[in-house]
Amino acid sequence: MSRYSAAEIEPKWQQAWETAGTFTAQRDDAKPKYYVLEMFPYPSGNLHIGHVRNYTMGDVVARYKLSTGHALLHPMGWDAFGLPAENAAMEKKIHPGAWTYKNIDNMKSQFSRLGLSLDWSREFATCDPEYYGQQQSMFIDFMEKGLVYRKNAVVNWDPVDMTVLANEQVEDGKGWRSGATVERRELTQWFFRISDYSEELLGALDRLENWPDKVRLMQRNWIGKSRGLQFAFGLIDGPTGHDRIEVYTTRPDTMLGASFVGISPDHPLARALEKDNADLAAFNAECRKMGTAEEEMEKAEKKGFDTGLRVRHPFDTAWELPVYVANFILMDYGTGAIFGCPAHDARDLEFARKYDLPVVSTYAPANDDGTALPEDGGEAYVPPKTEPVIYVRGFAGETEQTGEAAIDAAIAFCEANGVGHGVTKFRLRDWGLSRQRYWGCPIPVIHCDTCGVVPEKKENLPVKLPEDVTFDRPGNPLNWHPTWRDVPCPSCGKPAQRETDTMDTFVDSSWYYARFTSPGAATPTVADDAAYWMNVDQYIGGVEHAILHLLYSRFFARAMHACGHLPESAVEPFDALFTQGMVTHEIYLTRDENGRPVYHLPQDVTDGKLADGTAVEIIPSAKMSKSKKNVVDPVTIIEQYGADTARWFVLSDSPPERDVEWTASGAEAASKHLARVWRICTEAAEAPEEGPKGTDEALLRETHKAIHDVTMGIESFGFNTSVARLYAFTNTLQKSQAGRAARIAAAKTLAQLMSPMTPHLAEEIWAHLGGSGLIANAPWPKADQSMLVDDEITLPIQVNGKRRAEITVPRDMPKDEIEKLVLASDAVKRATADGAEVRKLIVVPGRIVNVVL
RNA sequence: GCCCGAGUGGCGGAAUGGUAGACGCAGGGGAUUCAAAAUCCCCCGCCGCAAGGCGUGCCGGUUCGAGUCCGGCCUCGGGUACCA
């Protein structure tokens, strides 16, 4: 074959790997194991280019680790429960399961064309009853360990569709389908006690050295450990049963700056008061119309309602403060009540100015720079807690001290004087896992009038979702299925009802990595296999999962360990994490008659217009998402150029951790380059027996430098720099005059170095040049350190930090000789021609020389 | 709002505090060809005839030396607990 034809060679090598079982995971105690995992995809129907990027990166790591002598586990599955399937069911009258499995089929065939080193024998979907049945079994174990409980929590309620909405389904406070104003509604829901592990999950972050710092920082902030004071304000003439308001504050040092007390509209006191106060009831009702999203809450205009009640300041019973119900205080946080200190909190200041409440600084900058104080119309003064400030209204500790010291002193003072006590709190809340939806893992419990909440017997698992459901009305079909709910109580046998809530899909994705170690087993995991394969050595996925998915997985692994499903060593399931950037794209939309957006696929938009000539609005690049339709289809690229080109293309140019804006140009260039590599490598076999003197040696040195650089790039996730280095090495090989044997050797090494990225082309070159066996199994080349250093180096000469010249010297030339050469150089002579003196001469060996005048 | 990132030629980007722009794309010029495709060679940050000057989002600082470190901003992206 003279021309490189992806269409011919790619299926051939994919078949060869499959026949040889190259990527079938095999335990081998003689080898170190390596478990590489990319976050499994939601089966939306089509691979998009972001998937190609993600899975190609994982594949590079996997193939590289296989070549370096590891027993490899590289599995794939499907995160298959979730909302889009139910939306499809409503829109297209297709069962969510049928839709999902059809999508899986389609995506799997797209996957197979990419030539990924996946062990498909371990594949599963989270919607397989075999998988979710094991999940139900663990849920029951968690119940027994006290890791699960029920409590009331608020949801977004669509009063027209009579259904619960996801935050994403609420647009500007309205239900996305009905357009009705969304209300908050309380439901009894299931929770995991993740907050019991707050301290543990926080502390263990320090040991995750191979995780990105930014992810650890985000998790640390999310868990949000704080030390503060919990104390009570005495309530004057409150309703029966309400004589005090408990508040929690992280800034007890500002207690003398208190200006009001705020309580949540859902606070028991607010609920008690609204019974006799129609205006307050109306205000609270208005607050409850807000969605449940934190973002919405924080951005909304701060509003309060003066209850007319007063509380006494604990330091001075003559000092009274007003009590407001405020829309920005959540019942779920702390005690559902705060004291406002407007001088040192932007939100409280906004509130105080709106309701004309006092603003009193408790501390001021140590160095008065003339900035207006909050009481004089300035901004709230909120310096870092580590910065010393002057306490103008302090009551504990030094006059000048840091916030940290003042907080400690304030807590000690308050405790000594019987005003509350110091408490450590966490921002992390328990994990609400109930979903009022069909397409999820059923929660395996039964509600019995006599016995209460009873877990299903394990021998009856899985509790399967009924197939015969329809989606012609909104809400959860499990609620109105004629027979599914009705079961005898597992405990007393009397008629009872199944729980109709299903589990959050984050539960499904919190343990799939463990299931991959023994996917067919009759228990969630098998101790032996889990011990061998866990942990995931390299986990790869989008940074958008930095908090929730990764934190939930860390909790789940601990809970599984508590129930004997994972060894202690696997409580941190991901040894190393890499968060790749997203592939972004512009969003195209038009508006319907109600002004609501209608999104369009990139392939339907040409020059800013639809086929019928309608102009589209263009929103700048954002994360590709199915709902916004800004997705790019990689199949057309594979069909036109082949998988290797698609793979090469997504690895080139952009650094893996950075977002990349997809543009169609460039695939052509990648394709040309691969054809060129093929040509250069095959031509090596036709080179003259011997080249000019020294050319073999020179090529060998370049080969070893390439091995070193490309390997470093792969190991540090610098795939784009590895690719750049491979371009350079290809150029070197092309220009080399070396003899046949040397060129063949270099070409084979080039093929090996490219094999994790363009595996089909690499196999073809390897076979053509007489390599033995599959290149996938060939041991990774090793760089000879002695080949990496040159005898001569070039040193730039700077004058006052600006480069003026350079000199080439032997690598080991002593410093004083370099100095002599530099001082004698034309550049320095020119610079000192006006009589300037050399004040300093800095020689950084092997790096640079700086002449300071 | 709050938390976390990112910002370098026309474009994607490279650069342990040490020659800013490697490598590639696009563009320009040339070779080959009857012509084209394919391929190969050369040029390519900005201003300037040149000498030289200016340049890594903006302002300031540390340093012999800053894209890189520190402080303050701006813009864009992610997360914000029911999208996955």
Side-chain angles (χ1 to χ4, degrees):
Chain A
M1 189 175 72
S2 55
R3 279 201 60 210
Y4 164 67
S5 164
E8 279 172 48
I9 68 167
E10 290 184 352
K12 180 177 74 176
W13 291 110
Q14 286 165 14
Q15 187 60 50
W17 299 323
E18 197 179 327
T19 306
T22 310
F23 307 118
T24 306
Q26 247 143 23
R27 285 179 54 176
D28 181 346
D29 293 323
K31 292 178 178 175
K33 68 92 190 178
Y34 200 88
Y35 182 3
V36 56
L37 184 67
E38 304 99 28
M39 291 179 187
F40 63 166
Y42 179 79
S44 58
N46 282 295
L47 282 189
H48 63 68
I49 201 73
H51 290 121
V52 176
R53 191 172 187 224
N54 188 201
Y55 297 116
T56 302
M57 286 179 197
D59 201 47
V60 170
V61 175
R63 287 175 177 271
Y64 169 69
K65 290 294 176 181
L66 190 68
S67 295
T68 51
H70 293 80
L72 177 71
L73 176 58
H74 186 204
M76 184 52 65
W78 309 94
D79 188 14
F81 276 134
L83 272 184
E86 294 196 20
N87 294 336
M90 279 182 263
E91 282 166 16
K92 297 172 187 157
K93 309 284 178 222
I94 176 173
H95 188 274
W99 182 82
T100 302
Y101 282 107
K102 185 175 80 85
N103 287 348
I104 288 175
D105 271 358
N106 188 42
M107 285 176 77
K108 193 177 170 185
S109 77
Q110 294 175 344
F111 255 112
S112 69
R113 300 180 63 175
L114 282 169
L116 300 170
S117 60
L118 294 166
D119 179 358
W120 284 106
S121 72
R122 289 172 186 255
E123 175 192 8
F124 59 77
T126 55
C127 63
D128 295 342
E130 294 74 25
Y131 182 80
Y132 71 71
Q134 297 302 327
Q135 189 164 303
Q136 290 168 339
S137 164
M138 282 197 293
F139 184 89
I140 293 167
D141 295 341
F142 288 9
M143 282 177 82
E144 282 168 10
K145 283 274 173 199
L147 292 165
V148 188
Y149 69 103
R150 298 172 84 206
K151 71 169 178 185
N152 284 352
V154 289
V155 293
N156 299 309
W157 180 257
D158 185 321
V160 170
D161 277 354
M162 303 288 280
T163 186
V164 177
L165 297 180
N167 286 335
E168 177 184 68
Q169 297 172 319
V170 180
E171 292 164 357
D172 297 330
K174 309 252 195 289
W176 67 338
R177 281 182 206 289
S178 69
T181 300
V182 168
E183 299 167 2
R184 280 198 253 175
R185 172 172 285 211
E186 274 205 352
L187 297 177
T188 305
Q189 310 216 59
W190 289 91
F191 285 82
F192 286 131
R193 290 192 192 276
I194 188 174
S195 66
D196 283 6
Y197 288 78
S198 298
E199 188 79 65
E200 157 73 14
L201 289 167
L202 180 68
L205 284 172
D206 291 335
R207 299 195 294 276
L208 296 176
E209 286 164 14
N210 293 315
W211 280 39
D213 287 340
K214 64 177 172 185
V215 174
R216 294 196 285 173
L217 188 56
M218 280 190 262
Q219 292 212 352
R220 201 166 282 134
N221 291 339
W222 184 263
I223 294 169
K225 184 177 183 175
S226 65
R227 171 99 179 134
L229 181 77
Q230 184 158 336
F231 69 100
F233 286 99
L235 185 60
I236 303 165
D237 300 330
T240 317
H242 295 273
D243 58 358
R244 48 199 271 131
I245 297 177
E246 283 279 335
V247 302
Y248 172 75
T249 176
T250 57
R251 291 311 296 260
D253 57 319
T254 66
M255 275 171 76
L256 293 178
S259 139
F260 64 94
V261 167
I263 62 174
S264 163
D266 296 315
H267 192 279
L269 176 60
R271 288 183 179 276
L273 292 172
E274 75 181 7
K275 288 189 186 118
D276 305 316
N277 185 335
D279 289 342
L280 177 58
F283 178 80
N284 286 349
E286 194 58 34
C287 290
R288 288 181 197 122
K289 275 187 181 164
M290 201 155 26
T292 59
E294 186 195 65
E295 182 189 2
E296 189 187 345
M297 193 100 49
E298 287 283 332
K299 279 189 184 162
E301 188 190 351
K302 310 297 175 279
K303 284 185 192 163
F305 184 96
D306 187 352
T307 61
L309 289 176
R310 294 288 181 269
V311 291
R312 293 187 203 287
H313 196 285
F315 289 180
D316 176 2
T317 50
W319 182 4
E320 295 182 2
L321 297 132
V323 178
Y324 280 76
V325 176
N327 66 346
F328 56 87
I329 302 171
L330 274 179
M331 200 52 222
D332 291 352
Y333 288 167
T335 60
I338 59 142
F339 79 78
C341 179
H344 305 297
D345 183 288
R347 191 175 60 183
D348 292 351
L349 185 61
E350 183 189 336
F351 192 84
R353 289 196 172 140
K354 184 163 187 168
Y355 296 104
D356 206 18
L357 297 162
V359 178
V360 181
S361 284
T362 58
Y363 53 79
N367 306 310
D368 187 355
D369 59 359
T371 312
L373 290 172
E375 44 267 68
D376 302 327
E379 290 178 9
Y381 178 51
V382 194
K385 283 182 194 168
T386 49
E387 190 175 296
V389 292
I390 306 285
Y391 277 78
V392 291
R393 285 172 70 83
F395 56 90
E398 307 294 322
T399 300
E400 176 167 351
Q401 60 184 338
T402 64
E404 278 170 346
I407 290 165
D408 287 344
I411 291 172
F413 176 91
C414 288
E415 285 183 338
N417 288 278
V419 178
H421 50 282
V423 218
T424 297
K425 278 200 193 295
F426 292 90
R427 203 184 80 98
L428 178 64
R429 307 199 297 261
D430 276 332
W431 173 5
L433 67 118
S434 287
R435 296 293 180 270
Q436 295 71 37
R437 305 186 202 294
Y438 168 80
W439 195 234
C441 171
I443 293 174
V445 300
I446 288 148
H447 298 276
C448 170
D449 288 344
T450 311
C451 309
V453 178
V454 185
E456 180 57 278
K457 288 180 180 162
K458 281 203 176 176
E459 62 261 34
N460 292 339
L461 299 182
V463 175
K464 283 194 194 175
L465 289 168
E467 294 281 332
D468 52 337
V469 286
T470 54
F471 292 85
D472 36 23
R473 58 166 158 157
N476 182 355
L478 295 177
N479 277 328
W480 50 78
H481 190 279
T483 56
W484 186 80
R485 290 178 71 167
D486 304 320
V487 283
C489 169
S491 176
C492 68
K494 284 190 234 164
Q497 287 85 42
R498 282 195 192 288
E499 170 68 63
T500 58
D501 279 359
T502 53
M503 296 186 204
D504 177 9
T505 55
F506 276 125
V507 182
D508 312 334
S509 56
S510 286
W511 72 286
Y512 75 109
Y513 51 86
R515 185 67 179 169
F516 275 135
T517 64
S518 47
T523 48
T525 56
V526 173
D528 207 29
D529 290 319
Y532 179 82
W533 289 114
M534 288 299 288
N535 298 339
V536 175
D537 293 278
Q538 181 66 59
Y539 195 36
I540 302 169
V543 70
E544 66 270 26
H545 295 293
I547 296 172
L548 293 179
H549 162 61
L550 288 164
L551 190 61
Y552 288 156
S553 294
R554 295 178 61 219
F555 159 72
F556 218 83
R558 283 166 171 78
M560 284 176 75
H561 167 61
C563 300
H565 296 302
L566 277 179
E568 163 112 58
S569 56
V571 297
E572 283 298 342
F574 312 122
D575 277 355
L577 173 70
F578 184 83
T579 53
Q580 102 273 13
M582 284 165 295
V583 180
T584 62
H585 199 281
E586 292 175 330
I587 296 169
Y588 307 111
L589 62 88
T590 52
R591 302 276 174 177
D592 69 9
E593 60 275 18
N594 299 320
R596 279 188 283 174
V598 177
Y599 297 100
H600 302 280
L601 291 166
Q603 63 245 38
D604 298 336
V605 177
T606 316
D607 298 331
K609 290 190 175 110
L610 296 176
D612 65 6
T614 317
V616 296
E617 286 178 51
I618 299 175
I619 297 176
S621 274
K623 177 173 86 158
M624 286 193 184
S625 89
K626 205 168 156 52
S627 60
K628 302 270 163 65
K629 292 200 174 171
N630 59 336
V631 291
V632 169
D633 178 16
V635 171
T636 48
I637 291 170
I638 297 175
E639 276 174 357
Q640 196 174 352
Y641 301 108
D644 281 343
T645 293
R647 296 169 57 116
W648 185 254
F649 180 74
V650 296
L651 293 171
S652 307
D653 294 348
S654 285
E657 69 278 8
R658 201 181 293 181
D659 290 351
V660 57
E661 157 97 39
W662 171 266
T663 55
S665 69
E668 179 72 29
S671 172
K672 276 185 192 172
H673 178 70
L674 297 188
R676 178 166 164 253
V677 169
W678 167 253
R679 199 166 54 243
I680 291 166
C681 288
T682 49
E683 280 167 9
E686 293 146 26
E689 215 48 55
E690 270 187 54
K693 190 164 174 292
T695 51
D696 286 9
E697 161 82 8
L699 183 57
L700 189 63
R701 295 185 85 91
E702 288 303 318
T703 303
H704 280 271
K705 284 183 194 169
I707 292 169
H708 177 263
D709 294 351
V710 172
T711 306
M712 293 282 283
I714 291 174
E715 291 203 339
S716 63
F717 274 83
F719 303 128
N720 56 323
T721 57
S722 285
V723 166
R725 196 60 187 79
L726 286 163
Y727 268 105
F729 183 49
T730 306
N731 293 343
T732 302
L733 176 57
Q734 181 182 34
K735 290 187 173 72
S736 173
Q737 294 296 303
R740 203 171 83 94
R743 275 155 84 171
I744 287 177
K748 284 169 79 177
T749 302
L750 174 61
Q752 279 195 283
L753 296 177
M754 287 179 73
S755 67
M757 299 157 187
T758 56
H760 313 87
L761 172 64
E763 292 284 6
E764 191 69 20
I765 292 169
W766 187 254
H768 187 84
L769 296 179
S772 74
L774 289 167
I775 202 169
N777 290 322
W780 191 253
K782 254 194 148 58
D784 180 342
Q785 293 299 315
S786 68
M787 296 274 189
L788 303 181
V789 278
D790 291 321
D791 297 336
E792 292 202 317
I793 51 170
T794 301
L795 289 179
I797 300 174
Q798 290 183 336
V799 176
N800 285 339
K802 288 185 197 260
R803 193 186 76 96
R804 292 298 178 206
E806 57 184 37
I807 47 169
T808 300
V809 297
R811 183 162 49 84
D812 48 7
M813 178 179 265
K815 221 169 163 175
D816 54 345
E817 280 187 47
I818 294 175
E819 287 179 7
K820 276 181 215 157
L821 280 177
V822 168
L823 292 175
S825 68
D826 290 345
V828 174
K829 280 186 194 155
R830 223 180 301 132
T832 52
D834 60 354
E837 267 181 49
V838 175
R839 291 196 295 149
K840 208 165 172 185
L841 188 55
I842 295 160
V843 179
V844 185
R847 277 284 169 201
I848 202 165
V849 181
N850 192 8
V851 183
V852 185
L853 300 180

